[in-house]
Amino acid sequence: MKAINVAIDGYSSCGKSTLAKNLAKLRGFIYIDTGAMYRAVTLFAMRQGLFSDIGLDESQLVSLLRDVTITFARKGDFVRTMLNGEDVEDEIRSLEVSNHVSQVSKIKAVRSKLKLLQQEMAKSGGVVMDGRDIGSAVLPDAELKIFMTADPEVRAKRRFDELVAKGSGDISMEDVKANLEKRDHIDTHRTEDPLIQVDDARVLDNTNLSRNEQLSLVNSWVESIVSRAR
Ligand code: DC
């Protein structure tokens, strides 16, 4: 029997990747962070000097897209995002990349390229994939779809703590909150594959749930799907 795929969508910084990683580890699935892929394309565009005061040069980025290769490298328990063979895992998490990524992720050609790559990665099953359009567009047939949400204040605090722990010095809670609000708005309002809660998704509000509580709840959902298919 083919292993199931799990699609996790939701707002920025509500703990999707932590849950996805933990679930993948517990079940022996492969974790795929699609946000990292959009971040890597954004870093590419920044390095090419495609952002200016008047915004992003979209047509130039689209014409350079064929020069962009994104892969993941496993290092022990960790997964590192690779842009054209270079480990960019740390760089793509900066607030600067976060502030530019929405302009890149709304471009149709970027989404088409990454969607194909993501579908290829999941074709054999056994994948936990997180993002914004996984249940709706990338893996509409995923056996388990989860829509994650959490109180905006709690999300901002978690993201701020994460950035501080990584040594990102010159940031304020206000900057982090503003970035989250802006990204949520763009992600839910863009034309191309916006973030939506699909009808067959299970909603997980983790405002008051610990990591372990979330993991055991989601694992019980996986278990019930797997045992029904046996
Ligand atoms: O999950 P994240 O915050 O690292 O994602 C970064 C950005 O990429 C997010 O603001 C929206 C975009 N994104 C997307 O449009 N579609 C996805 N499947 C994943 C992320």
Side-chain angles (χ1 to χ4, degrees):
M1 193 186 83
K2 182 173 155 258
I4 70 163
N5 281 328
V6 181
I8 304 182
D9 291 300
Y11 298 106
S12 292
S13 294
C14 58
K16 299 185 296 294
S17 63
T18 304
L19 172 67
K21 268 182 221 162
N22 290 341
L23 182 67
K25 192 165 181 197
L26 183 68
R27 304 289 316 191
F29 289 175
I30 291 170
Y31 166 56
I32 296 164
D33 176 356
T34 64
M37 300 167 87
Y38 287 95
R39 286 171 180 274
V41 178
T42 305
L43 181 63
F44 174 84
M46 287 163 62
R47 286 177 171 180
Q48 295 288 326
L50 302 183
F51 287 98
S52 68
D53 291 346
I54 54 163
L56 168 64
D57 186 341
E58 292 190 13
S59 57
Q60 185 64 7
L61 175 58
V62 171
S63 71
L64 289 174
L65 267 185
R66 61 177 176 278
D67 298 336
V68 179
T69 305
I70 296 162
T71 50
F72 293 107
R74 257 147 244 289
K75 296 204 177 141
D77 262 1
F78 299 97
V79 178
R80 312 282 300 178
T81 309
M82 313 292 285
L83 169 62
N84 293 337
E86 177 193 345
D87 183 337
V88 292
E89 181 60 32
D90 297 326
E91 223 175 318
I92 60 170
R93 306 294 165 188
S94 67
L95 193 55
E96 205 192 346
V97 170
S98 298
N99 281 334
H100 288 92
V101 67
S102 299
Q103 288 181 68
V104 169
S105 57
K106 66 178 194 217
I107 302 172
K108 188 176 181 157
V110 172
R111 302 205 70 84
S112 306
K113 178 182 169 107
L114 296 187
K115 202 194 297 182
L116 274 178
L117 255 173
Q118 292 153 7
Q119 289 171 335
E120 180 64 26
M121 290 171 174
K123 72 172 193 268
S124 306
V127 154
V128 183
M129 191 177 279
D130 79 330
R132 306 294 189 287
D133 59 342
I134 312 305
S136 58
V138 180
L139 303 177
D141 297 330
E143 287 80 357
L144 175 59
K145 297 180 188 177
I146 299 168
F147 186 85
M148 274 178 83
T149 177
D151 180 87
E153 295 287 330
V154 172
R155 290 195 279 134
K157 171 86 172 60
R158 286 179 188 158
R159 185 79 187 125
F160 178 75
D161 289 347
E162 205 176 279
L163 285 165
V164 169
K166 280 185 182 152
S168 314
D170 202 17
I171 48 159
S172 70
M173 186 70 171
E174 282 64 41
D175 290 343
V176 173
K177 241 163 93 176
N179 173 262
L180 289 189
E181 279 166 12
K182 190 168 167 213
R183 282 200 289 144
D184 284 349
H185 184 82
I186 297 176
D187 289 346
T188 48
H189 288 81
R190 67 172 175 235
T191 323
E192 299 298 327
D193 297 333
L195 169 64
I196 52 164
Q197 183 188 318
V198 289
D199 288 343
D200 53 346
R202 300 191 196 214
V203 179
L204 177 61
D205 181 336
N206 69 8
T207 307
N208 295 308
L209 291 180
S210 71
R211 289 176 177 188
N212 278 341
E213 286 167 335
Q214 294 170 61
L215 181 61
S216 54
L217 177 63
V218 172
N219 189 42
S220 72
W221 293 343
V222 171
E223 206 41 60
S224 75
I225 292 168
V226 171
S227 58
R228 252 186 280 135
R230 265 187 205 124

